[in-house]
Amino acid sequence: MKKKLRLILIWSLISLLLQLGVYSLLNNQVQKVLAPPAPSRPITRQLKATIPGADLTNIQISYAKDYLAYSENGTLKVFNLKKQTIVFEKEPPTTNDETLGVLTYQWLPDRNTLLYFYAQKNPNPITYVTVYPPKTESQTIQPPVEPKTEDPNQKTVNEVPKVVTKEVPVQPRIEKRYGNPQITELYTLELPDSDEDTAPDDRFNQTIDQFPAGGEIEEWVVSTTTNLMFLTIKNGSTEQLMEIDVMKNVRTLNKSGETIDNMAASDRYGTLYLDSNVGTTEQVIALNGSKRQIISKNVNDRILGIRDGKVYIGEVENDMLIEIKTTTDLSEVKSNPSLKTEWEGSIPFNKNLRTLIGAEGQMVVYDHQTAYIITAGQLKEVKLHGDENYVSVDGAELIQLTRDGTSTLAELQPLEP
């Protein structure tokens, strides 16, 4: 009897261990699907390619560093760097209006997917709608009073005339309705592996009805985890901060008269950090829905970016960056958080310079000649070659472009401080 009990206990224990192993394996697989682990280091490549065309603008490299997106004469083009061929083009609807066509584009930071906005004229900005009122309406008719011959022998009687109400038909009417004269649409361009011959998948996402005709997108940031995107749209003397969520809801977030110079979105919580200017008041604020929190009241502070739970703020005086400070990116942001100094010094900082926070927490400030790289409080200066130079958004790849007649030579290599 004891032997049987021992045997049952052993097999029960073995069965339990097997079940735990299977459950653990399934759990790991599910976690990989729902939250794929980030690579330990960003992808980098070392290659050369010849791109047809010599007037390339808005150069952006994909997450895997194998596709290059650029604009040429108003046309968006995507170039396969491995196969050295153009795999996608999106032309403007007309060459007579520079406000139409592809307004802006941006690679997602974790996959070879390009988002872009496309504008065209609305062929029916004015529509006519037939309005049908109630089938009949009441109309009061007062019959004429018949004159009577007065009889001096009778008393005067004030007679009230009879009132007749009848239903008369009413005709429908035509009303004019005014719509947005511009149709602005958001598209998603999915690129296959650069070794494949599969055509890109160009998918329509939604129409942005609230987008002002002729508006220019000045800044665009995306929070991929929370599926939020934020746009600043300049239209004449007005500026609009627009939020678009995963449910395709669109709303305006800025205050009346507010202008925004820089902004960055938290990839963890969807909080938007921005430089806000209202009248003479300049502040760095955190915006979550309609809730605002002041991060810094220092008029010299500028939002630089967000990476791995840190919000980077720079202090700028006379077009020079003199200090970098950080604060924690929290789910519940409080006003006036403590700011930790990460670096102090002096490097150029103006509108001609680009700024990014690399995947390893390095701060990169660069133009077409020089890159200033601040890592763990240490500054390195790197001289760049080529006519134009660009750095990937993860700070890992340097793209050097040199014009050669009607073509452009592109050289990719890791950006080493």
Side-chain angles (χ1 to χ4, degrees):
M1 187 66 180
K2 290 182 179 180
K3 187 176 180 180
K4 289 183 177 180
L5 289 174
R6 189 183 298 113
L7 189 61
I8 292 172
L9 181 61
I10 291 172
W11 280 109
S12 298
L13 183 60
I14 292 173
S15 176
L16 181 61
L17 290 174
L18 287 173
Q19 290 182 50
L20 288 174
V22 171
Y23 290 149
S24 177
L25 179 62
L26 288 173
N27 183 66
N28 289 335
Q29 294 300 320
V30 170
Q31 287 297 322
K32 287 179 181 180
V33 173
L34 295 179
S40 56
R41 289 182 62 86
I43 298 171
T44 57
R45 298 187 188 276
Q46 194 154 357
L47 58 82
K48 295 181 180 180
T50 301
I51 304 173
D55 189 20
L56 317 184
T57 59
N58 195 5
I59 310 296
Q60 296 185 37
I61 196 164
S62 66
Y63 158 75
K65 315 301 190 303
D66 50 1
Y67 288 103
L68 203 67
Y70 59 91
S71 179
E72 184 181 18
N73 298 323
T75 298
L76 167 63
K77 299 184 179 182
V78 179
F79 185 81
N80 185 322
L81 289 162
K82 281 187 177 181
K83 295 190 173 185
Q84 301 203 29
T85 182
I86 296 173
V87 296
F88 178 79
E89 293 186 63
K90 187 81 169 188
E91 296 181 350
T94 175
T95 58
N96 300 325
D97 192 340
E98 294 182 355
T99 65
L100 302 178
V102 176
L103 302 179
T104 189
Y105 47 90
Q106 184 177 137
W107 292 103
L108 291 181
D110 56 355
R111 71 204 80 159
N112 275 2
T113 300
L114 186 73
L115 304 178
Y116 69 91
F117 285 91
Y118 189 82
Q120 56 188 318
K121 283 187 177 180
N122 187 348
N124 300 303
I126 301 176
T127 56
Y128 297 88
V129 179
T130 303
V131 179
Y132 294 92
K135 293 182 179 180
T136 58
E137 67 178 10
S138 297
Q139 185 177 40
T140 301
I141 301 175
Q142 180 173 315
V145 179
E146 296 290 338
K148 293 184 178 182
T149 304
E150 293 185 4
D151 185 350
N153 297 322
Q154 290 183 344
K155 294 181 179 180
T156 302
V157 179
N158 294 327
E159 294 187 5
V160 178
K162 293 181 180 179
V163 177
V164 179
T165 301
K166 70 174 183 177
E167 302 294 321
V168 295
V170 177
Q171 297 298 320
R173 65 182 184 275
I174 305 298
E175 288 188 359
K176 186 184 291 187
R177 303 286 172 86
Y178 296 91
N180 195 328
Q182 176 176 303
I183 297 175
T184 307
E185 300 168 326
L186 175 63
Y187 286 83
T188 300
L189 183 68
E190 298 277 356
L191 277 300
D193 187 279
S194 53
D195 293 323
E196 298 178 3
D197 293 326
T198 308
D201 182 12
D202 187 27
R203 295 199 309 269
F204 166 78
N205 275 351
Q206 70 182 101
T207 300
I208 315 298
D209 295 323
Q210 298 90 327
F211 197 100
E216 178 185 356
I217 299 176
E218 292 194 320
E219 288 197 70
W220 178 17
V221 294
V222 179
S223 175
T224 53
T225 303
T226 60
N227 290 306
L228 288 172
M229 61 177 63
F230 303 91
L231 314 169
T232 54
I233 304 168
K234 187 81 171 179
N235 189 28
S237 59
T238 63
E239 187 172 30
Q240 182 179 355
L241 173 60
M242 185 179 292
E243 178 194 79
I244 305 174
D245 64 24
V246 68
M247 302 303 294
K248 301 184 179 181
N249 298 313
V250 181
R251 60 176 175 168
T252 301
L253 300 178
N254 57 313
K255 293 181 176 179
S256 177
E258 181 179 38
T259 59
I260 297 162
D261 291 332
N262 307 287
M263 60 183 188
S266 166
D267 203 39
R268 296 184 174 186
Y269 310 112
T271 306
L272 182 66
Y273 295 84
L274 53 88
D275 297 338
S276 168
N277 299 287
V278 182
T280 58
T281 303
E282 298 182 21
Q283 298 174 331
V284 178
I285 68 168
L287 183 59
N288 196 327
S290 60
K291 190 175 182 181
R292 290 175 171 243
Q293 302 290 351
I294 298 173
I295 303 301
S296 174
K297 293 182 179 180
N298 186 342
V299 296
N300 294 321
D301 280 353
R302 306 285 185 270
I303 186 72
L304 299 177
I306 303 173
R307 177 76 73 169
D308 295 334
K310 276 186 177 182
V311 181
Y312 291 78
I313 297 169
E315 186 170 346
V316 180
E317 289 186 359
N318 300 319
D319 289 337
M320 301 294 290
L321 178 65
I322 61 173
E323 185 178 0
I324 296 176
K325 299 168 278 190
T326 61
T327 187
T328 305
D329 179 24
L330 301 173
S331 58
E332 292 291 334
V333 181
K334 303 295 182 183
S335 287
N336 304 310
S338 60
L339 302 177
K340 178 185 175 182
T341 298
E342 302 281 351
W343 171 84
E344 288 182 303
S346 182
I347 59 174
F349 194 89
N350 54 57
K351 292 184 177 180
N352 297 322
L353 291 157
R354 301 177 184 88
T355 305
L356 61 90
I357 309 297
E360 298 180 1
Q362 75 273 32
M363 177 80 192
V364 182
V365 180
Y366 73 100
D367 57 17
H368 291 307
Q369 291 78 42
T370 308
Y372 302 92
I373 306 173
I374 301 170
T375 307
Q378 301 299 314
L379 173 64
K380 294 282 185 71
E381 184 176 327
V382 179
K383 293 300 180 182
L384 307 178
H385 306 284
D387 296 334
E388 297 180 7
N389 298 278
Y390 300 88
V391 179
S392 59
V393 293
D394 55 19
E397 191 82 9
L398 174 64
I399 306 100
Q400 298 184 138
L401 302 181
T402 304
R403 289 186 178 88
D404 184 19
T406 58
S407 301
T408 301
L409 304 180
E411 182 176 357
L412 272 65
Q413 62 187 40
L415 177 62
E416 300 292 346

